[in-house]
Amino acid sequence: MVAGPIERASHLLGQFQKPRIFDYSFAVSGLRLIIWGLFKKIVIADNAAFMVDEIFLDYTNQSSLSLILGVVLFAFQIYGDFSGYSDIAIGLSRIFGFDLMLNFRFPYLAQNINDFWKRWHISLSSWFRDYVYIPLGGSRVSTWVSFRNVLIVFW
């Protein structure tokens, strides 16, 4: 649950109150998500972590190409960890009859940085937007205050 998704009370609380009846197709989709999440975590993230650790434990003696490879692999590692854990949580919740929101939508295929944040840890990004950025004034303020708001959210 720490990796997400972060559900809104309005979406989740009602699900606790209604009786849940086992739905085979919903449970199968949950099991598929669990398997896909485990693949991302174990195969992608853990293997990338092994290589990233090897590169950055001795970064002063690495070539520029090795360091670039380490950065790219680290990007896959954090995606595999966060997205894998989210898929496992969503899948488990489906088996028990709960519907949680999708949390990652292929963020590395985004067209730009704005699109990236709409695809990366969707529930966390929307929480920061709704409960921090917008109450601070969002982008409907001066340029400097808007810049400050972005720094507060992403720092």
Side-chain angles (χ1 to χ4, degrees):
M1 294 305 288
V2 172
I6 302 166
E7 280 294 338
R8 304 295 174 138
S10 60
H11 182 247
L12 189 59
L13 290 178
Q15 295 183 58
F16 281 102
Q17 295 170 349
K18 70 178 185 177
R20 281 173 302 288
I21 300 167
F22 183 76
D23 181 338
Y24 178 79
S25 62
F26 204 54
V28 167
S29 73
L31 188 58
R32 285 186 180 133
L33 268 173
I34 292 169
I35 291 168
W36 181 235
L38 287 169
F39 175 82
K40 285 193 252 185
K41 170 60 181 132
I42 296 168
V43 175
I44 296 172
D46 289 353
N47 283 305
F50 174 74
M51 292 182 272
V52 167
D53 289 347
E54 289 298 315
I55 291 170
F56 289 118
L57 278 175
D58 189 26
Y59 65 91
T60 56
N61 293 321
Q62 300 291 333
S63 69
S64 297
L65 188 58
S66 291
L67 293 173
I68 290 169
L69 177 64
V71 169
V72 170
L73 289 172
F74 181 68
F76 282 100
Q77 176 188 350
I78 61 172
Y79 171 75
D81 273 336
F82 288 144
S83 177
Y85 284 136
S86 287
D87 287 349
I88 293 166
I90 295 166
L92 281 169
S93 70
R94 284 188 181 178
I95 288 173
F96 290 106
F98 292 95
D99 181 30
L100 302 183
M101 69 182 294
L102 182 67
N103 212 19
F104 288 85
R105 255 184 307 144
F106 304 104
Y108 292 142
L109 299 179
Q111 300 293 318
N112 52 50
I113 192 69
N114 188 32
D115 189 29
F116 175 85
W117 284 113
K118 288 180 181 178
R119 295 167 173 251
W120 179 270
H121 211 312
I122 298 164
S123 64
L124 181 63
S125 298
S126 64
W127 188 91
F128 274 121
R129 180 194 67 223
D130 294 347
Y131 294 107
V132 179
Y133 183 71
I134 291 175
L136 288 171
S139 61
R140 296 177 188 251
V141 290
S142 71
T143 304
W144 288 108
V145 174
S146 179
F147 180 70
R148 177 208 67 184
N149 295 346
V150 170
L151 284 177
I152 289 170
V153 168
F154 290 106
W155 197 349

